[in-house]
Amino acid sequence: MTAPVPEPKEERLARQVRFLVEVDRLKEVLRRNYLADGSRVETTAEHSWHAALMALVLAEYAEAPVDRDKVVAMMLVHDIVEVDAGDTFLYDREGQRDKAAREARAADRLFGLLPPDQGRELRALWEEFEAGETPEARFAKSLDRFAPLTLNVASGGRAWLEHGVRREDVLRANRHTALGSQALWAYMRALVDEAHARGYLGD
Amino acid sequence: MTAPVPEPKEERLARQVRFLVEVDRLKEVLRRNYLADGSRVETTAEHSWHAALMALVLAEYAEAPVDRDKVVAMMLVHDIVEVDAGDTFLYDREGQRDKAAREARAADRLFGLLPPDQGRELRALWEEFEAGETPEARFAKSLDRFAPLTLNVASGGRAWLEHGVRREDVLRANRHTALGSQALWAYMRALVDEAHARGYLGD
């Protein structure tokens, strides 16, 4: 048996840059929800920044103690697979069906661009998020819902009105937020009630 | 003397959300550099995500050992002041002149929206970045230059051609990258040579 051949350093950096330039396309994936001012929908890259910043600011509300830095890193990579798989609207039942398979293929390709050690590290973060079983993943999933809901209310419910979303759809689709944070879920329920009272959500 | 009155918990979360919704406007600040595919310029929120991801992936190239998580957090907040102060193009000498004063006023207002303990924490991160004296800040500044340069080359030098940027302007404006990372600076110089050879940069 021979020792594994070390990767030349320049090739390592070249792979890392290839990955970073490839995932630049996350700036072109459009989500359904609007910016707070309602001027346009946000890109997944913008959402990823906002959600990571939320992890930094809101970590104290996690249901179980979390490694805040790990949640931040998770938010940075949680949607990278959308470069290949696109964004699937929470209320699109058809798209939700094959979402997992599409995203697993995307993860193979995208994280595979990195040097193996880093590909494994970032993919593990994404898989942990997807599985939603650790305190960090549960809280990350709460933030992933908290972010668009807050923007939907701020923008006058524009995305909800366009897609005819009902109050009970929002409550059902977001209820697992409570697993990651009872405090954020309570805040979201109050926002939903307010949005419903204002006519942003149907019955 | 009386003990300080503890902030009601709901008021604390309300302040945090006010800050998070306010900085949503970073998604509307346009930078000068284009996406890798040249289709449009990027927003500062998108740049902040990309730079934070770069901190995660490229930390091994920092000139002095860095706390990677701290660099990631720094990238998330390093441009928040642009919500009020706008983006100042690196090669705009006029705008660079009063940039510091405009950004300090923005920091007062924006970080002031947060509960005081968090306002102080995030502002300190931003000030550390601006001062550029710690290993983390030096490396963060390197990434802040590495990101647009990589995209400029990938997009066929579009921003440089539009603004008539010369090879020596790029080398002068970016040379402090070496303080944070000799390795990234060497890579950037090779990219600049390539860009110059292809006619993306003038003499």
Side-chain angles (χ1 to χ4, degrees), chain A residues 106-139:
Chain A
D108 288 344
R109 188 183 82 79
L110 293 163
F111 296 122
L113 295 171
L114 283 166
D117 60 314
Q118 285 197 320
R120 277 192 300 274
E121 184 201 354
L122 267 55
R123 189 184 178 128
L125 265 177
W126 172 72
E127 283 178 349
E128 182 175 336
F129 171 80
E130 284 295 312
E133 283 164 5
T134 60
E136 282 78 11
R138 283 203 187 116
F139 184 58

Side-chain angles (χ1 to χ4, degrees), chain A residues 16 27 40 60-61, chain B residues 12 16 27 40 60-61:
Chain A
Q16 291 160 324
K27 300 171 188 170
R40 64 161 171 84
E60 67 195 86
Y61 303 108
Chain B
R12 183 170 167 87
Q16 289 160 325
K27 300 170 187 169
R40 63 163 172 83
E60 66 195 87
Y61 303 108

Side-chain angles (χ1 to χ4, degrees), chain A residues 16-33:
Chain A
Q16 291 160 324
V17 173
R18 215 172 303 138
F19 168 79
L20 290 166
V21 170
E22 185 74 14
V23 301
D24 191 67
R25 285 165 52 208
L26 211 58
K27 300 171 188 170
E28 298 179 66
V29 178
L30 298 181
R31 288 164 54 85
R32 303 297 175 103
N33 66 276

